[in-house]
Amino acid sequence: MTANELRQKYLDFFKSKGHSIIPSASLVPRETDASTLFTTAGMHPLVPYLLGEEHPGGKRVADVQKCVRTGDIDDVGDNRHCTFFEMMGNWSFGDYFKDEAIAWSFEFLTDPKWLGLDPKRLYVTTFKGEGNIPRDEKAIEVWQKTFNQAGMVAEIAADDQIIKDNIRIIPLGTDDNFWIAGTTGPCGGDTEMFYDTKPEDGPLAGRFTDLVDSHRLMEIWNDVFMEFNKTADGQYIKLEKPNVDTGMGVERTLMVMNGETTVFETELFQPIFNKLSEISGKQYGESEEVKKSFRIIADHIKASAFMIADGVTPSNASRGYVLRRLLRRAMRYAKLLGIETDFTRAIAETVIAMYGHFYTELKEKETVILEELTKEEHKFRQTLENGIKEFEKIANSLPNSKISGDDAFNLYQSYGFPLEITKELARERGFEVNDDEFATELAKHQELSRTASAGMFKGGLQDTGDASKKLHTATHLTLAALRKVLGNQINQKGSNITPERLRLDFNHPDKMTAEQLAEVERLVNEAIGKDLPVSFEEMTVEEAKKKGAVGVFESKYGEKVKVYTVGQGDEIFSMEICGGPHVDRIGILGKYKIQKEESSSAGVRRIKAVLE
Ligand code: SER
C-alpha cells in the first residue's frame, strides 16, 4: 500500500460515514492559540470546535493533518521518533460517540474493502479509571460486542496486564489512556488499537507493556472520547456534548500495512535515503552511525520544507529558531556523512516530489523553500569554516595531542560544533578529545540554556524557568529514590528537562516493575511532603566523593565543584554534584508522577516524570 492509497482510503471511508473532508491546517497554529509553536496533533486546529463552536463542515469531519513535535529532538534518529508526521483523524463534534467510533475503527481496520488487517492480531487498551473519573465500561462493552460480531471472544486483562488466551482488552490508567493536548483544554479517556507485528513468533503472551516495548505490539490508532474541559486551575468541567477525536499515524499504519518494522523503511523515507546515498556515496544500512544520520537528515529537512511552506523562516527566535535548529542539526549530520557540498536543495526537491500532490502548498512554495534552505546552508557553512579555523588555532597551540573538554566545549558553544565534529577533526590529525570533560562542561551549561530557551519553544506558558528549576530538583530526587529502590549501583546516564517534564536515563538492565516505580514515586512524594530544604556547598571532587555525593567525578583533580544537598542533619535525601539551579525547599514541587519507564539503549532505562 502506498501512502497516497492509505490517505485516500481513510478519507473515502469516513466520507461514506457522512463526514466532510477538510484540508490539513497550517503547521503554524492560529493566532489566538499561544499554547504551542506548531500544530502538534490532528485535534489541535480543531480545539474551538471541540469546545462547542460550530464547524462549517458540520458535526462530522475527517482529515489528514501535518504535525510537528520538537519536544524530544534528541530522540529523533532512534527507530521510532520523528519531528514531522501525518495524522489521519475523524471527528464528532457533539454527534456520534463510543458506539460508532469504535465500530468504524474496527471496520476500517479489518474489512478487506478497506485495510483488511487481521482482527485476530488486534488488541485494544481502554481507560481503567482514576481519580473521580470511572473506568470506561462503555468502551469495553462496545469492543466486546464488536469482537463478538467478528466471531471472537475478547476478555479483559487484570491489573497485571498479562495477555493470554482470549484477552484482548487492556484497561490502563491516566498516563496511557487519558488524552489532553498540553495541560488544559478538551480531554477524556481514550481507547488505543495495537497490532501484533510478528504473529509468526507464536501466540501473543506476556505483559502488555513489555510487548509494546519490544515492538511486537504497535499502536496504530487512538480514539479519544472527549468529555471534559480541563481548566487552568486543574478542574475537569464536563462538556455540554461529548466529542470524538481520533488519531491514526500515516507513517506507522503504512509500516504495519507493508509488514515493515520501522517507519524509516516506508516510502515516506526511502526516496530521501536514496537521494542521500547518491549524494554521500553511503548506504543507509551500512552502519548504525550512517543509519542515524540518514534518519535525522531526512526527518529534519522534511519538517523544514513543510515549515517554510507555511511561512516560517530561519531566525533566532520562536518558530524560526526551531527551524534553524532542525536545519543545523541536519547539516551537522550531513557533514558526518562526508557531505561537503550543498545538499538541502536536492533533499527538499525529493520531499516535494513525494508529498507535493497531497500538500499542494509545497509545490506552490517550492522556490521559497529551496531558496531559504540554501541560504541557511551557506550561512551555517560559514560558521563551520570559522569553527574549523578556530580548531586549527587550538590544535596548533597545544603542547600535546590532547584537546581539552574546555576547548571542545567552546567550539560547541561559539561555533555550534557538536563533539562528533571536533572528534572527527581531531582524528584527522591523530589528536584525541577528552569526552568526559566535555560532557561535564556541557552538563554544567545545559541547565541554564535549557531554562533560557524553554521560553522560546513554548509560547503561552508562564514561568518556564521556574518550572524547569522545579523539574531539575525533581530529577535529583528521582535519582536518589532510584538508588534507594534499586541499589547504589544506579547512576545517571543522561538528563533532559523541558518546562513540562523531566527525563532521566540511568543504568539498569531490566524493565522496572510497577511496584518499583510506585516505590520511587512514593519516596519522592514523601520527601516533598516533608518540605526538605535544598542547599549547596563548594568543595573539591575528592571531598564530594568522600561525603557520598553522586554525579560526574571526571572533573580535574582539585577542581572545585558544587554539591547540592536535599535534606539536612540526619535526614539527607539526595547529595549530588551539579551546577544548579534548584529550588530552595522541595515542598513547592507539588505532586510527583512518573509518566513512563522505557528502554533508552542497551542496559540504560529512561524515566519521564512530571510535577502536578
Ligand atoms: N489527540 C489524539 C492523539 O493525538 C488523537 O487524535 O493521539
Side-chain angles (χ1 to χ4, degrees):
M1 179 169 282
T2 65
N4 221 17
E5 278 164 0
L6 176 61
R7 294 185 196 103
Q8 201 52 52
K9 269 184 189 268
Y10 185 86
L11 297 177
D12 286 347
F13 177 80
F14 282 100
K15 205 167 159 189
S16 79
K17 304 289 182 197
H19 291 64
S20 32
I21 307 306
I22 57 171
S24 171
S26 168
L27 280 175
V28 176
R30 61 192 179 283
E31 255 168 52
T32 49
D33 180 0
S35 64
T36 51
L37 286 180
F38 294 99
T39 298
T40 57
M43 55 84 72
H44 197 164
L46 297 168
V47 168
Y49 312 105
L50 294 166
L51 291 177
E53 207 173 290
E54 229 167 89
H55 193 285
K59 288 178 189 298
R60 298 180 180 188
V61 305
D63 68 0
V64 184
Q65 173 67 47
K66 49 189 170 179
C67 302
V68 159
R69 283 185 199 170
T70 53
D72 278 328
I73 199 172
D74 294 332
D75 286 342
V76 175
D78 70 8
N79 56 23
R80 280 180 283 182
H81 292 87
C82 296
T83 8
F84 177 86
F85 58 95
E86 298 167 80
M87 281 286 229
M88 301 181 283
N90 54 289
W91 278 269
S92 157
F93 302 125
D95 186 23
Y96 61 84
F97 206 39
K98 295 175 189 176
D99 285 293
E100 295 88 339
I102 291 177
W104 290 340
S105 287
F106 187 82
E107 183 184 345
F108 181 68
L109 287 174
T110 61
D111 190 325
K113 199 172 146 208
W114 303 104
L115 296 193
L117 292 171
D118 182 355
K120 295 195 183 61
R121 290 165 66 180
L122 205 57
Y123 295 79
V124 301
T125 60
T126 53
F127 183 51
K128 83 166 180 191
E130 239 171 85
N132 297 329
I133 309 174
R135 174 163 124 150
D136 193 346
E137 301 298 345
K138 175 71 186 179
I140 292 178
E141 178 203 313
V142 180
W143 273 120
Q144 287 190 316
K145 194 176 85 192
T146 308
F147 277 116
N148 282 344
Q149 281 166 354
M152 293 160 64
V153 178
E155 280 168 9
I156 306 164
D159 265 353
D160 60 11
Q161 300 176 24
I162 300 287
I163 296 184
K164 57 174 190 260
D165 305 327
N166 286 324
I167 291 183
R168 295 204 169 261
I169 301 174
I170 305 98
L172 298 174
T174 316
D175 297 345
D176 296 286
N177 284 75
F178 194 88
W179 211 90
I180 183 161
T183 47
T184 59
C187 56
D190 63 28
T191 178
E192 296 185 1
M193 289 148 260
F194 291 77
Y195 200 60
D196 179 1
T197 56
K198 287 210 185 75
E200 64 274 17
D201 286 1
L204 194 75
R207 210 179 132 80
F208 172 76
T209 36
D210 293 339
L211 293 163
V212 173
D213 273 357
S214 69
H215 300 207
R216 169 97 190 238
L217 280 179
M218 187 62 68
E219 187 206 330
I220 46 178
W221 204 346
N222 182 12
D223 289 359
V224 185
F225 306 117
M226 297 190 153
E227 295 179 76
F228 307 97
N229 179 19
K230 188 178 178 194
T231 57
D233 56 2
Q235 289 194 65
Y236 292 88
I237 312 285
K238 196 123 183 153
L239 292 171
E240 218 166 283
K241 287 189 193 151
N243 308 299
V244 174
D245 149 29
T246 91
M248 186 187 212
V250 170
E251 293 82 0
R252 279 191 177 197
T253 309
L254 197 61
M255 166 191 120
V256 164
M257 291 304 297
N258 294 321
E260 286 143 349
T261 48
T262 73
V263 295
F264 299 103
E265 286 158 46
T266 66
E267 58 146 11
L268 296 175
F269 284 93
Q270 285 302 318
I272 311 182
F273 290 169
N274 293 341
K275 187 46 89 180
L276 269 172
S277 282
E278 223 177 83
I279 300 172
S280 67
K282 300 215 155 71
Q283 296 303 319
Y284 174 64
E286 76 178 57
S287 73
E288 282 309 311
E289 261 172 51
V290 170
K291 259 191 186 175
K292 184 174 174 192
S293 298
F294 270 49
R295 289 170 174 184
I296 290 173
I297 297 168
D299 170 82
H300 288 9
I301 301 289
K302 193 197 282 185
S304 301
F306 272 93
M307 287 181 183
I308 298 170
D310 282 342
V312 184
T313 49
S315 73
N316 282 331
S318 184
R319 284 178 200 101
Y321 181 64
V322 175
L323 172 58
R324 175 162 281 169
R325 252 183 52 169
L326 287 176
L327 279 175
R328 294 194 165 186
R329 189 157 185 256
M331 291 173 203
R332 290 187 334 231
Y333 279 93
K335 188 161 169 55
L336 282 182
L337 289 176
I339 299 176
E340 298 288 351
T341 49
D342 285 4
F343 73 100
T344 55
R345 186 186 177 93
I347 302 297
E349 279 169 347
T350 309
V351 170
I352 296 167
M354 288 160 63
Y355 288 90
H357 52 273
F358 193 80
Y359 299 99
T360 48
E361 62 276 21
L362 287 175
K363 283 217 173 106
E364 283 153 26
K365 298 286 177 56
E366 177 153 7
T367 319
V368 183
I369 296 171
L370 302 179
E371 272 173 18
E372 284 295 341
L373 287 174
T374 308
K375 220 162 71 188
E376 187 65 11
E377 192 168 6
H378 289 171
K379 222 183 231 169
F380 189 52
R381 189 156 303 126
Q382 190 57 52
T383 309
L384 281 178
E385 268 162 34
N386 295 342
I388 292 172
K389 280 198 202 117
E390 183 63 22
F391 174 87
E392 298 293 331
K393 227 160 75 193
I394 293 169
N396 288 336
S397 68
L398 287 177
N400 51 30
S401 57
K402 292 192 178 10
I403 312 267
S404 72
D406 261 359
D407 282 334
F409 184 75
N410 281 336
L411 283 167
Y412 168 79
Q413 213 180 21
S414 313
Y415 299 93
F417 267 37
L419 183 63
E420 292 94 330
I421 288 186
T422 306
K423 278 171 86 167
E424 192 188 81
L425 291 170
R427 212 163 26 232
E428 282 166 12
R429 282 189 160 225
F431 278 31
E432 272 173 50
V433 181
N434 190 329
D435 291 17
D436 294 336
E437 214 176 82
F438 175 86
T440 313
E441 283 302 311
L442 185 64
K444 266 199 234 157
H445 289 75
Q446 241 164 10
E447 297 312 330
L448 286 174
S449 62
R450 283 249 153 75
T451 316
S453 63
M456 261 184 239
F457 288 113
K458 305 264 165 187
L461 286 172
Q462 298 122 33
D463 284 344
T464 47
D466 261 2
S468 301
K469 195 155 83 175
K470 284 186 197 166
L471 285 164
H472 183 199
T473 307
T475 307
H476 282 216
L477 301 181
T478 308
L479 181 62
L482 282 169
R483 289 168 66 94
K484 292 184 212 298
V485 174
L486 301 175
N488 282 339
Q489 75 286 357
I490 302 292
N491 286 306
Q492 177 166 326
K493 292 286 168 200
S495 138
N496 163 290
I497 291 168
T498 70
E500 285 84 32
R501 59 112 184 94
L502 67 87
R503 190 180 84 193
L504 173 70
D505 290 353
F506 57 98
N507 57 309
H508 187 55
D510 309 307
K511 183 165 181 57
M512 287 178 69
T513 64
E515 292 72 31
Q516 289 169 336
L517 287 169
E519 184 58 9
V520 169
E521 263 185 12
R522 193 192 66 75
L523 286 168
V524 171
N525 282 315
E526 186 181 69
I528 293 173
K530 289 184 185 154
D531 192 19
L532 299 175
V534 184
S535 57
F536 76 86
E537 229 184 305
E538 287 199 82
M539 58 186 87
T540 63
V541 184
E542 293 68 34
E543 284 163 345
K545 228 183 210 172
K546 241 200 268 158
K547 281 195 151 207
V550 298
V552 188
F553 288 112
E554 283 83 7
S555 310
K556 293 186 197 94
Y557 181 82
E559 195 184 30
K560 291 249 179 178
V561 290
K562 272 191 191 175
V563 173
Y564 272 88
T565 304
V566 180
Q568 62 191 348
D570 290 345
E571 192 161 39
I572 293 195
F573 190 80
S574 140
M575 193 186 277
E576 198 174 316
I577 297 179
C578 172
H582 286 280
V583 302
D584 299 330
R585 300 192 76 93
I586 62 174
I588 59 160
L589 298 188
K591 182 155 180 261
Y592 169 88
K593 205 162 165 48
I594 294 177
Q595 281 196 316
K596 221 180 197 158
E597 190 267 353
E598 60 189 352
S599 155
S600 163
S601 58
V604 178
R605 305 294 302 177
R606 167 169 291 180
I607 275 186
K608 289 185 183 168
V610 293
L611 294 170
E612 291 178 339

